[in-house]
Structures are given as C-alpha cells and as structure tokens.
Amino acid sequence: MFTLVAPHASYHQSFLESHREWAGAHQDGAAVFLAGDVTSAEGFADWVGKLLDAETAPEKDGMVPCTYRWITEGPRYVGAIAFRHHLTPALLNSGGHIGYGVRPSQRGRGAASWALRELCSQVAAQGELDRVLLTCDDNNAASAKTIERCGGLLEDVRTDDDGTAFRRYWIDVRAVALRPAPTN
C-alpha cells in the first residue's frame, strides 16, 4: 500500500536506488535541483531539510512555497509529488501547482494516480484552493492518462520556448475528494 510522507533522512538508501534508476534524467516533483549532494548521508539530510523548509519559504526567484511529499511503500521510496501553493505567471503558463514523478521500476502500478488523488484530497480538505493546474509534455501519454484519471480537464496545448508542446489541465480538488478511486 502506498503512503505519502514528508521527506525524511531514513529513506536515503532507497532514494539512492531510485536516483540511479533515473540515470540523470529530470525527476518531476523531487526538487533534486535543490540538493548539493544526495549521495552522502550529510548531503541527503541537508537536502531533506531544504525540502521541508520550502513549505514556508517566502517566494523568491520564481520559487513559491511548496509542499514536498514522497510516495512510499513501506520503507521503499517510490517517487515524489510536489504542491506549489500559488502560481507565478510562469507557473500559470507552464509549471502548474503539482508535479510528480515515479521511479522507473515502479511505474505502471498506479502510484502516480494514487498520489495525485491523495494530494488533491488533502488540498481540498485544507480549503486552500478549489482547483489546481497540472501540465505535462504533449507526448507523455502516461502522465496525461494519470491526470485525466484524476479528473483533469484539458484547457489547452501550448508550446514552450524550445518548441515542445505541453498540455495544461485543471483538476477540481473537491470533485476528486468525493469521487471513488478508479479500479484501473
């Protein structure tokens, strides 16, 4: 069974296994860019502290307060999901409120859909927002399916500065909280 947990240093070894699976690719929702060194215990603990502090950090250089949660299964790190509490103009265009990523060996098991539904339910319970924006590359069928499975309604498809098309979806978090989870 999956759980969402606050980042914690106890997941160091499992995170390192996941980090190797990603082989240097961008890990949506994980904010690895905030880390100096995730390989050492000290560097990992420092990064965990930055992730926890981000929830109450003031907006600076395009970064907004963000809650990071890890998708886990027992002691195993499965992935990450991030909730940005408000949108800058850049995030409104192409970043959205929520980003997530699941380690390659754990994909196809429903972890992303479960985590997105769980996070949307938490946002609804807090009453902070009525709806959230998510984006994904236009060619990322798995992410589009995850967002749509969780009630995402496609607003439009845009093109970024590099010419890459991306989709923009809105999810009514109250509706997600009330709907039963899909079976597949």
Side-chain angles (χ1 to χ4, degrees):
M1 175 168 19
F2 300 119
T3 55
L4 282 186
V5 300
H8 194 274
S10 65
Y11 289 94
H12 186 215
Q13 288 307 312
S14 185
F15 177 85
L16 287 178
E17 293 168 8
S18 171
H19 193 59
R20 285 189 289 274
E21 288 179 28
W22 283 90
H26 176 71
Q27 298 178 45
D28 285 324
V32 177
F33 65 89
L34 292 175
D37 168 34
V38 295
T39 59
S40 73
E42 298 79 21
F44 188 78
D46 181 61
W47 175 56
V48 165
K50 288 177 184 176
L51 294 177
L52 296 173
D53 290 345
E55 191 163 354
T56 57
E59 183 177 333
K60 182 179 178 186
D61 300 325
M63 300 287 293
V64 300
C66 185
T67 299
Y68 293 97
R69 291 295 178 257
W70 287 350
I71 308 163
T72 61
E73 192 171 34
R76 182 178 199 135
Y77 173 91
V78 174
I81 191 164
F83 168 62
R84 292 177 279 275
H85 294 258
H86 68 271
L87 301 176
T88 63
L91 290 172
L92 178 60
N93 179 58
S94 63
H97 288 100
I98 297 174
Y100 56 85
V102 173
R103 67 192 283 178
S105 67
Q106 297 298 303
R107 292 178 184 160
R109 298 182 54 225
S113 294
W114 177 87
L116 181 53
R117 287 182 58 76
E118 184 68 20
L119 183 63
C120 285
S121 294
Q122 290 176 14
V123 170
Q126 293 166 356
E128 189 171 343
L129 297 171
D130 294 332
R131 64 185 193 148
V132 292
L133 175 67
L134 286 89
T135 66
C136 70
D137 285 350
D138 191 40
N139 64 358
N140 188 340
S143 192
K145 183 177 178 181
T146 294
I147 296 167
E148 291 167 2
R149 176 177 279 157
C150 293
L153 299 175
L154 181 65
E155 179 176 67
D156 60 14
V157 178
R158 298 182 181 182
T159 305
D160 68 17
D161 294 338
D162 296 331
T164 303
F166 63 93
R167 296 170 173 241
R168 296 175 71 252
Y169 290 91
W170 288 96
I171 295 177
D172 177 339
V173 296
R174 295 163 303 176
V176 171
L178 296 174
R179 260 192 358 222
T183 56
N184 264 343

